Amino acid sequence: MHVPDVSVVVIVYNDAERLPTAVQSVLDQTLRGVEVVIVDDCSKDRSFEIAQELEAAHPGRVRAFRLPENSGGCGAPRNHGIQQATGTYVMFLDSDDVLERNACRNMLAAAERTGSDLVSGMCVRVHLDKRWNKTTEWYPWIYARTRTLESITEYPDLLVYDTLSTNKCYRRAFLLEQGLSFPVGIHYEDLLFSAQAYVAARRITLIPNHVYYWNVVEKAAALSISNRRHEIENFVHRMEIHRRVDELLADKGHTAIKSAKDAKFLKHDLVLHLRDLPLLGDAYRQEFARLANGYLAGIDPAAYENVTHLQAICAYLLGKEDWENLLPAADAMTNKGRLCSPLAERDGRVYWCDRHLDDAEGRRILDVTDQGYHTAPLSSLALGNRLTSYRDDGRGTVTLAGRIVNPLGRIKADSPLKATLEFRARRQIGVRSFAFPVAELRHAGDTIEWSTTADVASTVRPLGIIDAVWDVRLKLTAGGDRMTTRVSVGGVDMESAARLRVRPRLTRLVSDRFEPEMTKKGNLSYVLTAEGRAAVRTQSLLNNAMHGKAAGVVKRSLRRALRARRNLGSGEQKVKVYHEVFSKLPVKKGTVVFESHMGKQYSDSPKAIYEELVRSGAPFEAIWSYAGGKPAGFPKEATLVRRWSWPYLRALAQAEYWVDNQGFPLALAKRPGTTYIQTWHGSALKRMGFHEPRTKAQGKAGQDRFQAAVNRFDHFLIRSEHDVRTLARGFRLRDEVLLRTGYPRNDALVEAHRAEAQSGERVRGPLAAELGIDPAKKVLLYAPTFRANADGTVEGFEFPFDVQEFADRLGDRFTLLVRTHYLNSVSLPPSVAGRVLDVSRHHDITPLLALADGLITDYSSVMFDYAVLDRPMLFFAYDYEKYATDIRGTYFDLKEKAPGPVVATADELMQAVAAFDEADAKYAEARQRFLGEFGEYDRGDAARQIVEKFFTRSGK
């Protein structure tokens, strides 16, 4: 008898409709030696009958089994499937999911090639109730490349994060030898089974292929087990599984994995349940706290260092059962960026609340000074706004009252207040919003209290059908500050709230009521529904539409219309229109599209070229790209277009020149009549382009896309032959593309150095006065680069030294300017004001470099630019070994070439700054060598060279 290569165990319970699709995804595998083992968990519908029909239709390939009684989970049917399987390898599939067509072939090949007990591939979540079935890869950074592990200790993240059992292929003999089975009678069985398999496996292989499609329906009528978090039994099971995994790790001595798992518990598992706490009753909360705190007592204290400030705050306040402060923290965690606590200030530090500050651990965890709530503009803060009462008259008028957080009393008691309550359609079609003036507003200490009555029936006129969901916002003006807040339901009971009458503009035949609803994040919304005669008419209309003579024509037309409207704003459609429509329009001579850091800034070499064009009087039309909301700091004389908007795409298609420092969208081809001047944004320390292992690992298709993108460059600016050896070769650029002009952004630095050398004095200019810098102090600029996680996401910025200590020890001699990378942000404690200044909002770093008497950096390319000024540099390389040896690597050893002290600890940094003048003289020759190697073409005329070459008659 032929032994199958792979047995796929398909478990099913009351899912007769979807079972055939799951089974077919196995039968359609490109690997032919695959059998299907269906195990029905004693379904009440026709699931087992369907399984038997599939068995009869595919004899020898499908076998069907049924458990005698329902087990209530996934463990028992999977265990039965393992026993019934005859294949060399075993995989698991749920009846509502499907396998990728090549999953079995790819996993078998990896297992046979490496001799692994376990092969794991990438799972993809398919959101069936989102537009276009949105997909998200499950921890893609784990599967960035093929790798084989001799032990899970080589890669603990695998056990910590990828706890699924379904995206894996197991050697069946391994499962039987180790006695591995799923726990029965308890949920979250995957967590324990996967941990046991990882720990027991003698070899594990990861492959970067999609293998499993996990279909997710968030709004399903019957929630999945893992989504029924409002049931306390759900949390009981989760805690029990975690305890069992912890015991397993302790038995095997895997303490490092246990610490990483603890951090993930705080960041993920606990957070899932904390988010629901504001919406649940006191009895649930008390039992939840008892269960959670019993487990939290065994958490590794070091785990709290690897979570966000809100996650740590929530865990701490849960331990204290301080519901008054915990619930706002949980609300803030659910609604990212929302500030739901009035905060407290003690001794120059800002805390989440005014309790627990007599406890050293409480002070440490509750300290939110670095979040910048006290310094950020009020208009940039999303202030918490919770309902305190909700009443309706049963007809169409509603009266609401609430409280808005006033952090640290920043909205002063004498500030005049004005507000409107806005009903806003979630889909912005036709009428956008309706506003009601807020009748009562008053200062109430750490909150602003408000109340108003809204005659919804007479005022709000939705279109109907296509604008079914409406959100509620309160817009507050306090003095000169304007803030928009979402109205959260809080503890107000909405279950008995009546539906409000409305009059849709299109027709009242299918909707005539606004039903109040609490969103997934706990905010107040209204949904169009039907009641009474409208409900009857709705059903009648639907029946006629479905079965009338013209139904086919109507449905086809409606589908086309909806598809066209959905696709119109999609990225795919925009790219198509760009190439097929806009690129057929004539190129507009003299038109230049400028962009800096993907539209985030008006800065860098594109800015320098633009300003040289203005000074020269050259005839041109400037178009600047900006990202996000309202553009700030861009030149008023230029035309501004939002990145990826229709005007942006048309401008790029018709421009004679593209000028940017990073890269216009990769999907947009450049026309032959357009000249692309790529200024780039810095010489390279880290490996770039095709020199990066990640680019090499993309495969041919990914590399071809990248190559096509850089092939658009007609000209690429370089500062030195180092750029030729690194950037140019990393991007595979031809020599004729390279312009040895230096960087236009550095022209101002070259001029500043020349002026200083000629006059013998340093002129600080208006920026020093603007920042309020003491002329008696030297100015140091701290400009670190960003750090990336293993998955490519950017880490949040944290000071690698005590900024308070810096100010206390050195603030009498130096003013420290802190300028983070544009991907990061920083917040300073109030106590260092005047001695340490955050200048991160100054997008153009060139004036800051010119102002600074010395530079402190780590690995930022700003070191190459600052070298032009011939001023002291300090390199705080506290994580050099990690940074230099990570997946990208560096082109040279910074420690060998650095034109200044390289220090590794905060104390060494303080000592180096204290000896500032000594380092200035000691490293003078090293600075000249550094400039000669990395800035030989920065002569101060780069912008003029570009303008003369491309934009003047003599140049053209």
Side-chain angles (χ1 to χ4, degrees):
M1 179 180 175
H2 175 69
V3 176
D5 293 313
V6 180
S7 295
V8 179
V9 177
V10 182
I11 63 170
V12 60
Y13 176 68
N14 288 351
D15 199 14
E17 182 179 350
R18 292 179 291 190
L19 176 61
T21 302
V23 171
Q24 193 62 47
S25 76
V26 184
L27 297 174
D28 288 342
Q29 288 291 298
T30 53
L31 178 70
R32 303 312 301 167
V34 180
E35 73 163 351
V36 185
V37 179
I38 305 174
V39 183
D40 174 61
D41 197 11
C42 199
S43 296
K44 297 177 182 178
D45 68 354
R46 293 190 67 252
S47 292
F48 185 58
E49 287 84 346
I50 295 295
Q52 290 177 310
E53 292 171 6
L54 290 167
E55 180 179 41
H58 304 279
R61 296 201 67 195
V62 178
R63 292 183 290 137
F65 302 89
R66 185 178 194 181
L67 298 187
E69 59 182 21
N70 178 252
S71 67
C74 301
R78 285 179 182 158
N79 291 339
H80 190 75
I82 295 172
Q83 297 303 318
Q84 296 298 333
T86 61
T88 306
Y89 296 88
V90 176
M91 294 173 62
F92 302 105
L93 174 62
D94 293 346
S95 61
D96 52 349
D97 300 328
V98 293
L99 292 182
E100 195 277 333
R101 191 164 180 265
N102 299 293
C104 293
R105 177 182 297 278
N106 289 333
M107 300 183 94
L108 175 69
E112 296 290 89
R113 184 180 67 253
T114 62
S116 294
D117 291 326
L118 188 161
V119 176
S120 189
M122 197 184 303
C123 171
V124 179
R125 285 166 58 94
V126 182
H127 302 268
L128 298 180
D129 51 358
K130 297 289 180 68
R131 287 188 181 185
W132 312 297
N133 289 357
K134 175 186 173 183
T135 61
T136 53
E137 294 177 334
W138 187 257
Y139 298 115
W141 48 274
I142 291 178
Y143 297 97
R145 60 184 175 91
T146 300
R147 62 190 301 176
T148 297
L149 315 173
E150 300 299 325
S151 166
I152 189 61
T153 57
E154 295 179 22
Y155 196 36
D157 279 359
L158 183 59
L159 182 147
V160 172
Y161 290 95
D162 190 359
T163 56
L164 300 177
S165 66
T166 48
N167 60 333
K168 298 171 177 60
C169 179
Y170 312 83
R171 192 182 299 275
R172 184 167 177 267
F174 158 70
L175 296 179
L176 298 178
E177 289 167 5
Q178 297 293 329
L180 295 181
S181 62
F182 290 86
V184 178
I186 187 169
H187 304 322
Y188 304 104
E189 55 280 296
D190 269 23
L191 274 70
L192 182 57
F193 181 83
S194 295
Q196 291 171 331
Y198 284 139
V199 169
R202 288 158 295 205
R203 186 171 292 165
I204 302 167
T205 294
L206 311 180
I207 61 175
N209 309 82
H210 291 173
V211 298
Y212 193 91
Y213 292 113
W214 175 4
N215 291 325
V216 180
V217 182
E218 295 180 358
K219 298 177 182 177
L223 291 176
S224 66
I225 291 168
S226 60
N227 284 325
R228 296 201 291 266
R229 292 187 292 272
H230 58 286
E231 300 173 4
I232 195 65
E233 191 68 17
N234 184 293
F235 192 61
V236 171
H237 287 205
R238 188 186 286 270
M239 291 296 90
E240 177 57 26
I241 286 291
H242 274 284
R243 287 191 182 91
R244 295 187 191 183
V245 174
D246 290 347
E247 290 172 2
L248 169 70
L249 297 177
D251 289 344
K252 301 296 182 180
H254 294 323
T255 54
I257 299 179
K258 168 65 164 60
S259 181
K261 176 185 167 296
D262 285 347
K264 194 243 185 176
F265 176 82
L266 294 173
K267 291 193 290 186
H268 176 73
D269 300 80
L270 185 63
V271 166
L272 286 176
H273 292 267
L274 285 173
R275 286 173 172 169
D276 296 329
L277 282 186
L279 315 177
L280 299 169
D282 290 339
Y284 179 97
R285 293 174 190 165
Q286 299 301 328
E287 181 63 10
F288 174 81
R290 185 186 69 80
L291 294 166
N293 288 331
Y295 184 78
L296 289 172
I299 289 284
D300 182 354
Y304 286 91
E305 303 299 325
N306 297 310
V307 301
T308 68
H309 73 286
L310 275 174
Q311 290 162 354
I313 287 171
C314 284
Y316 177 82
L317 294 174
L318 177 62
K320 299 295 183 181
E321 296 191 39
D322 181 355
W323 304 108
E324 182 180 344
N325 291 302
L326 169 59
L327 295 181
D331 188 11
M333 197 161 49
T334 302
N335 294 275
K336 187 177 180 180
R338 182 178 292 178
L339 177 57
C340 302
S341 171
L343 307 177
E345 187 171 355
R346 299 286 188 278
D347 302 323
R349 305 296 293 177
V350 178
Y351 299 92
W352 182 257
C353 59
D354 58 3
R355 296 183 188 174
H356 320 295
L357 300 183
D358 55 346
D359 171 28
E361 183 184 23
R363 285 197 307 276
R364 179 179 64 84
I365 293 177
L366 296 172
D367 191 329
V368 294
T369 309
D370 291 344
Q371 303 308 310
Y373 297 129
H374 58 297
T375 57
L378 273 173
S379 58
S380 70
L381 297 179
L383 300 180
N385 183 359
R386 293 169 66 86
L387 280 181
T388 54
S389 69
Y390 180 98
R391 302 190 311 275
D392 58 70
D393 64 0
R395 295 185 297 275
T397 299
V398 61
T399 300
L400 305 93
R403 294 192 183 100
I404 302 173
V405 167
N406 182 10
L408 301 174
R410 292 186 59 187
I411 302 176
K412 303 302 181 184
D414 58 354
S415 296
L417 303 176
K418 184 180 179 181
T420 57
L421 188 70
E422 179 186 69
F423 286 67
R424 187 181 183 88
R426 189 170 295 175
R427 289 189 182 181
Q428 297 301 309
I429 303 168
V431 178
R432 295 178 59 84
S433 62
F434 297 90
F436 300 89
V438 173
E440 298 182 24
L441 270 171
R442 69 181 189 90
H443 294 273
D446 55 13
T447 64
I448 303 295
E449 295 184 348
W450 62 271
S451 65
T452 195
T453 298
D455 184 357
V456 175
S458 302
T459 308
V460 179
R461 297 291 307 280
L463 290 174
I465 306 176
I466 58 177
D467 54 351
V469 182
W470 289 66
D471 296 315
V472 180
R473 293 174 167 83
L474 187 138
K475 293 188 172 183
L476 172 68
T477 300
D481 294 304
R482 296 181 179 180
M483 293 147 279
T484 299
T485 68
R486 282 298 304 270
V487 178
S488 64
V489 173
V492 174
D493 180 15
M494 302 296 297
E495 291 186 6
S496 59
R499 296 176 176 183
L500 307 178
R501 293 180 180 178
V502 289
R503 296 181 298 153
R505 293 176 181 269
L506 294 180
T507 177
R508 276 179 279 174
L509 293 177
V510 293
S511 56
D512 61 356
R513 293 292 189 275
F514 253 166
E515 182 174 4
E517 177 188 80
M518 183 173 64
T519 69
K520 187 178 179 181
K521 294 186 176 182
N523 299 316
L524 177 63
S525 291
Y526 287 87
V527 179
L528 275 173
T529 60
E531 191 170 284
R533 287 181 296 174
V536 174
R537 289 170 181 157
T538 299
Q539 189 60 49
S540 175
L541 270 175
L542 291 175
N543 289 337
N544 289 337
M546 292 298 293
H547 305 295
K549 291 182 179 180
V553 175
V554 171
K555 284 188 283 188
R556 283 193 296 272
S557 299
L558 181 59
R559 278 196 297 268
R560 281 196 299 269
L562 290 175
R563 191 182 304 117
R565 188 171 65 82
R566 281 198 306 265
N567 291 341
L568 188 60
S570 70
E572 181 181 354
Q573 184 69 11
K574 284 185 172 181
V575 170
K576 184 176 181 181
V577 171
Y578 170 85
H579 288 111
E580 297 182 4
V581 180
F582 292 160
S583 292
K584 301 296 190 292
L585 298 173
V587 170
K588 297 172 67 176
K589 293 295 183 180
T591 301
V592 190
V593 176
F594 294 92
E595 186 170 285
S596 179
H597 294 301
M598 296 186 289
K600 295 182 176 67
Q601 303 173 359
Y602 171 63
S603 66
D604 212 80
S605 291
K607 173 186 175 182
I609 294 173
Y610 167 77
E611 293 183 349
E612 178 63 25
L613 276 168
V614 173
R615 279 193 296 271
S616 70
F620 76 106
E621 178 188 351
I623 300 174
W624 269 92
S625 150
Y626 70 91
K630 295 181 179 179
F634 288 85
K636 296 179 180 179
E637 301 80 10
T639 300
L640 304 185
V641 292
R642 184 168 50 83
R643 204 170 195 262
W644 271 113
S645 66
W646 291 112
Y648 173 81
L649 297 174
R650 180 164 181 167
L652 283 177
Q654 293 192 270
E656 185 179 7
Y657 293 97
W658 291 359
V659 179
D660 92 306
N661 66 352
Q662 194 156 344
F664 288 110
L666 302 184
L668 304 181
K670 182 185 68 67
R671 299 174 66 177
T674 300
T675 298
Y676 190 167
I677 303 172
Q678 173 56 257
T679 70
W680 203 241
H681 53 273
S683 297
L685 171 61
K686 299 220 72 172
R687 295 187 180 275
M688 301 292 292
F690 287 98
H691 292 163
E692 290 187 58
R694 288 176 182 170
T695 305
K696 297 176 182 177
Q698 286 180 353
K700 187 176 185 305
Q703 291 183 25
D704 287 347
R705 285 193 297 271
F706 182 77
Q707 188 65 65
V710 297
N711 283 348
R712 297 178 302 173
F713 302 162
D714 295 298
H715 304 283
F716 188 90
L717 274 55
I718 60 171
R719 306 181 60 227
S720 68
E721 290 305 303
H722 167 78
D723 290 354
V724 177
R725 296 188 297 270
T726 56
L727 289 170
R729 290 179 183 172
F731 293 147
R732 297 178 179 173
L733 299 175
R734 305 182 312 278
D735 189 70
E736 57 266 28
V737 171
L738 307 181
L739 290 181
R740 290 168 168 81
T741 60
Y743 281 172
R745 71 182 185 190
N746 288 341
D747 290 349
L749 300 181
V750 175
E751 181 57 34
H753 177 60
R754 285 175 181 164
E756 183 179 338
Q758 291 172 1
S759 67
E761 62 177 296
R762 184 167 302 165
V763 179
R764 287 184 167 175
L767 181 58
E770 177 188 331
L771 295 174
I773 292 175
D774 185 343
K777 294 182 182 180
K778 289 188 180 296
V779 178
L780 297 180
L781 176 65
Y782 178 46
T785 191
F786 70 95
R787 269 71 169 168
N789 295 308
D791 61 354
T793 58
V794 176
E795 292 183 5
F797 175 79
E798 293 183 6
F799 273 103
F801 59 90
D802 188 331
V803 69
Q804 181 70 58
E805 181 185 359
F806 189 102
D808 292 343
R809 286 177 59 173
L810 301 165
D812 59 335
R813 293 176 53 197
F814 298 95
T815 298
L816 182 66
L817 307 181
V818 179
R819 206 273 191 175
T820 59
H821 190 276
Y822 73 90
L823 294 174
N824 291 134
S825 60
V826 67
S827 181
L828 298 172
S831 54
V832 302
R835 296 175 292 175
V836 183
L837 306 177
D838 175 18
V839 292
S840 301
R841 289 191 175 90
H842 288 254
H843 290 160
D844 192 354
I845 196 173
T846 301
L848 296 171
L849 295 174
L851 171 63
D853 297 295
L855 173 71
I856 304 173
T857 188
D858 42 20
Y859 324 108
S860 171
S861 66
V862 73
M863 70 176 81
F864 303 111
D865 303 294
Y866 195 74
V868 171
L869 292 163
D870 190 25
R871 298 176 190 172
M873 284 187 267
L874 304 177
F875 298 85
F876 186 26
Y878 58 91
D879 57 351
Y880 183 72
E881 297 306 320
K882 176 183 176 183
Y883 191 88
T885 59
D886 76 354
I887 192 169
R888 281 178 64 180
T890 60
Y891 284 116
F892 61 87
D893 188 341
L894 178 64
K895 292 182 178 180
E896 293 181 0
K897 292 183 179 291
V902 180
V903 297
T905 68
D907 190 57
E908 290 176 349
L909 173 66
M910 306 286 182
Q911 293 177 25
V913 172
F916 180 80
D917 294 331
E918 179 182 333
D920 187 0
K922 180 179 179 181
Y923 286 91
E925 291 185 10
R927 290 199 300 272
Q928 288 302 310
R929 288 195 301 270
F930 193 79
L931 177 61
E933 182 173 357
F934 298 108
E936 59 187 298
Y937 301 131
D938 274 331
R939 305 185 186 96
D941 61 349
R944 181 170 55 81
Q945 286 190 62
I946 298 300
V947 170
E948 290 180 353
K949 181 177 181 63
F950 298 104
F951 299 100
T952 64
R953 287 191 177 90
S954 59
K956 297 179 72 173

